[in-house]
Amino acid sequence: MKGLLFAFFTIFILSGLGAQEYRITKGGVTNSLAIPGAPGETYALYIPRDYSPEMNWPVIFTFDPQGRGAKSASLFRLAAENQQYIIAASNFNLQNRPVDSIVRKAAAMMDNVLRSFPVDPLLVYTAGMEEGAQVASALPLIYKKMAGVMAIGNSFVNANYLDKENPYMFIGIAGKKDYMVYEMEDYLRFYDDLDFPTDVYYFDGKQNEWPSAQVISNAVTGFTLEAIRKGKRPDDPEFIKKLFEDELAFSESLRRTRQYHAAFEKLDRMKVKYEDYGFEEVIEEKKKEIKRIKNYRSQKNKFRQAVAFEKEQQREYEYLLKTDIMTANFQNIGWWAYQIDELNKLKDKDEVAQSNMAHRLLGYLDFVSKREFDEIMRSQANIDIKIFISVLRTAINKEDPEAYFKIISLAALDGDEETALLYLEDLLKTGYNDLESLYNIEGALDLQFNPEYNAIIKRYLGESKFFNE
């Protein structure tokens, strides 16, 4: 019989309501396990195939912004099998919910796993992406023995609450297309300055994306090696060699796909990571091989030029954005739309450094314009400024329905029916199809009974609520 044969075992989990029986899959993801103390919330669990209750296990608690526990547990499967970790992944959605309530639920999940499995209390780790990374990096405030945090694309840092006497390892992972890449590097410098052990990884992705299972596994080796250095895991030379060879193979895959600069940078970081284990000569030889490749220096120079231009462009965008908002300069909306068009063209180019830079700048403009939009909508700013930032948002992010809704609302309140109808149609051109929401726009009640308003909706959605003959 081909394929993997999963092993099953039964555990009893104690809660305030009594014992609960679960059938756990070894070598597979067991989903929808209830969290005592957090009604309605569940988590997914991955137990390695060689799991035995006779030993105490390291555990990684993972947090996905959308509560996709089974997916995030699967991404950590390679690391779990090769490096012996239990993976517990939350199924609760983190978006638009207070961090403190999420942290309480995460703490309940951690407590449940620590009580139910033979976990080494000194080898407890957290990992998360975006909002999940903020939760993961806040949990050391609750669990004081935390051994490490893996933050992907974001983090939470408050120097006032860090226990500098009990440093944990901080691993930052950033997508090369993610505008947060520089923020992640700032977080790493922050922890470095406090003498916390750190490591950094990059992957070919943008914001709100998980890295591949291979990148995650390579990153988890940072936790594993740090535990070995501190005597919390066995110092097995063959095991360490296997970790090194797996990571070296990843560097080689970058070289073979002509990502010479990325491969060289990876080797540079590996040199520091494995400095205690006698692999320096192997790494130096690999670096020399890359240096001899004709396109390496060209890639390196293009990368540096792109980064320098990007940082200058970020500063200019932020200044011009604030200036245009203060003056509600509608004449410059076209200039912003042109910038977006040019960046979209650039991101589709074959030149990797410039393409990644364009992705990051687009993400950055989306972020800063949304930040300004939210602040202005909460403020007492006049209607012209509120309409301006809403129109600007539609130029920068054509897929954001919130800005279109706000323009329709403000225009209706101002008696500007023509503008409201224009942006209703622009919204529907993006493919938006939630009929009900189009009839619940704040301040636009009279407009919704307008025959032309309904005719536009029917033209795009095939039906409308009124005048539907």
Side-chain angles (χ1 to χ4, degrees), residues 331-342:
Q331 291 183 340
N332 284 342
I333 294 289
W335 183 85
W336 288 105
Y338 174 77
Q339 297 300 305
I340 297 300
D341 287 342
E342 290 301 299

Side-chain angles (χ1 to χ4, degrees), residues 412 417 441-451 453-454 466-467:
E417 183 180 296
I441 298 175
E442 182 182 358
L445 182 61
D446 291 342
L447 186 65
Q448 291 156 23
F449 289 99
N450 182 302
Y453 187 91
N454 284 270
F466 310 108
F467 305 103

Side-chain angles (χ1 to χ4, degrees), residues 59-274:
V59 61
I60 302 175
F61 293 94
T62 75
F63 301 92
D64 174 78
Q66 298 176 45
R68 299 168 296 183
K71 175 180 178 177
S72 59
S74 296
L75 285 170
F76 281 79
R77 176 178 177 172
L78 182 63
E81 290 292 348
N82 291 346
Q83 301 177 55
Q84 294 189 314
Y85 285 86
I86 292 173
I87 309 297
S90 79
N91 279 326
F92 33 91
N93 192 307
L94 310 178
Q95 296 175 326
N96 301 317
R97 296 170 70 178
V99 172
D100 56 347
S101 70
I102 295 297
V103 168
R104 285 195 297 270
K105 292 174 182 178
M109 179 182 79
M110 291 176 64
D111 183 65
N112 181 236
V113 173
L114 294 174
R115 289 174 180 271
S116 306
F117 293 89
V119 170
D120 188 327
L122 298 179
L123 295 176
V124 175
Y125 304 88
T126 60
M129 183 262 287
E130 297 293 347
E131 291 94 338
Q134 293 182 315
V135 173
S137 52
L139 284 169
L141 305 180
I142 307 295
Y143 188 80
K144 300 299 185 179
K145 298 177 184 177
M146 192 72 70
V149 171
M150 181 186 296
I152 301 165
N154 212 325
S155 186
F156 167 83
V157 171
N158 189 325
N160 295 325
Y161 294 106
L162 280 176
D163 184 357
K164 298 173 186 177
E165 300 302 315
N166 294 292
Y168 52 85
M169 184 169 201
F170 180 84
I171 296 177
I173 303 182
K176 295 177 185 176
K177 297 179 175 70
D178 187 352
Y179 72 94
M180 282 291 291
V181 65
Y182 304 117
E183 292 289 330
M184 294 305 297
E185 290 171 356
D186 285 343
Y187 292 137
L188 285 155
R189 282 189 284 271
F190 169 82
Y191 281 105
D192 280 335
D193 289 344
L194 295 175
D195 290 327
F196 279 48
T198 63
D199 203 356
V200 61
Y201 288 82
Y202 299 92
F203 69 102
D204 188 23
K206 52 183 184 294
Q207 60 265 35
N208 296 313
E209 285 185 0
W210 283 96
S212 69
Q214 184 62 65
V215 171
I216 288 173
S217 184
N218 286 345
V220 170
T221 60
F223 291 153
T224 303
L225 290 172
E226 185 66 15
I228 291 172
R229 288 189 182 98
K230 291 184 174 179
K232 298 176 183 178
R233 292 188 65 158
D235 188 353
D236 181 347
E238 286 302 312
F239 175 61
I240 294 169
K241 183 181 178 183
K242 177 66 168 58
L243 296 181
F244 172 77
E245 289 174 346
D246 286 347
E247 212 159 345
L248 192 65
F250 182 73
S251 171
E252 179 64 12
S253 72
L254 293 173
R255 191 190 70 80
R256 287 177 178 269
T257 53
R258 300 179 181 179
Q259 299 177 66
Y260 305 123
H261 179 255
F264 188 90
E265 293 293 302
K266 170 69 177 172
L267 288 167
D268 235 11
R269 293 191 294 273
M270 285 178 64
K271 184 178 178 181
V272 176
K273 183 174 181 178
Y274 290 93

Side-chain angles (χ1 to χ4, degrees), residues 154-418:
N154 212 325
S155 186
F156 167 83
V157 171
N158 189 325
N160 295 325
Y161 294 106
L162 280 176
D163 184 357
K164 298 173 186 177
E165 300 302 315
N166 294 292
Y168 52 85
M169 184 169 201
F170 180 84
I171 296 177
I173 303 182
K176 295 177 185 176
K177 297 179 175 70
D178 187 352
Y179 72 94
M180 282 291 291
V181 65
Y182 304 117
E183 292 289 330
M184 294 305 297
E185 290 171 356
D186 285 343
Y187 292 137
L188 285 155
R189 282 189 284 271
F190 169 82
Y191 281 105
D192 280 335
D193 289 344
L194 295 175
D195 290 327
F196 279 48
T198 63
D199 203 356
V200 61
Y201 288 82
Y202 299 92
F203 69 102
D204 188 23
K206 52 183 184 294
Q207 60 265 35
N208 296 313
E209 285 185 0
W210 283 96
S212 69
Q214 184 62 65
V215 171
I216 288 173
S217 184
N218 286 345
V220 170
T221 60
F223 291 153
T224 303
L225 290 172
E226 185 66 15
I228 291 172
R229 288 189 182 98
K230 291 184 174 179
K232 298 176 183 178
R233 292 188 65 158
D235 188 353
D236 181 347
E238 286 302 312
F239 175 61
I240 294 169
K241 183 181 178 183
K242 177 66 168 58
L243 296 181
F244 172 77
E245 289 174 346
D246 286 347
E247 212 159 345
L248 192 65
F250 182 73
S251 171
E252 179 64 12
S253 72
L254 293 173
R255 191 190 70 80
R256 287 177 178 269
T257 53
R258 300 179 181 179
Q259 299 177 66
Y260 305 123
H261 179 255
F264 188 90
E265 293 293 302
K266 170 69 177 172
L267 288 167
D268 235 11
R269 293 191 294 273
M270 285 178 64
K271 184 178 178 181
V272 176
K273 183 174 181 178
Y274 290 93
E275 64 182 350
D276 301 329
Y277 300 106
F279 299 117
E280 291 87 352
E281 288 186 14
V282 175
I283 292 173
E284 283 302 320
E285 186 55 41
K286 291 289 183 182
K287 287 171 65 177
K288 288 177 183 177
E289 289 176 9
I290 292 174
K291 278 186 172 181
R292 289 194 287 266
I293 296 172
K294 180 180 178 181
N295 286 337
Y296 162 70
R297 190 171 296 278
S298 172
Q299 285 186 5
K300 179 181 176 181
N301 290 337
K302 287 177 180 177
F303 171 80
R304 289 180 173 176
Q305 289 167 6
V307 169
F309 174 80
E310 177 184 1
K311 291 186 175 180
E312 180 182 345
Q313 200 68 21
Q314 280 190 357
R315 290 190 291 270
E316 182 178 2
Y317 281 153
E318 182 124 16
Y319 170 76
L320 293 175
L321 185 68
K322 287 184 180 295
T323 301
D324 285 349
I325 290 171
M326 282 176 18
T327 57
N329 194 335
F330 284 90
Q331 291 183 340
N332 284 342
I333 294 289
W335 183 85
W336 288 105
Y338 174 77
Q339 297 300 305
I340 297 300
D341 287 342
E342 290 301 299
L343 289 172
N344 276 317
K345 291 176 187 175
L346 192 58
K347 79 175 186 180
D348 294 328
K349 296 289 186 182
D350 291 335
E351 173 50 54
V352 175
Q354 291 190 345
S355 174
N356 288 345
M357 177 198 70
H359 275 282
R360 292 193 297 268
L361 282 173
L362 284 167
Y364 178 76
L365 279 174
D366 187 34
F367 166 73
V368 294
S369 63
K370 181 64 166 66
R371 181 191 66 199
E372 296 297 325
F373 174 88
D374 289 342
E375 288 180 2
I376 287 169
M377 292 308 157
R378 289 192 297 265
S379 74
Q380 299 300 314
N382 66 51
I383 191 169
D384 285 345
I385 289 177
K386 288 187 174 182
I387 291 178
F388 173 81
I389 188 60
S390 301
V391 172
L392 181 61
R393 278 292 294 156
T394 66
I396 290 174
N397 185 346
K398 294 180 173 62
E399 305 299 320
D400 179 12
E402 184 182 10
Y404 293 94
F405 282 176
K406 187 56 68 173
I407 296 170
I408 295 168
S409 172
L410 292 169
L413 289 168
D414 201 37
D416 187 355
E417 183 180 296
E418 184 179 350

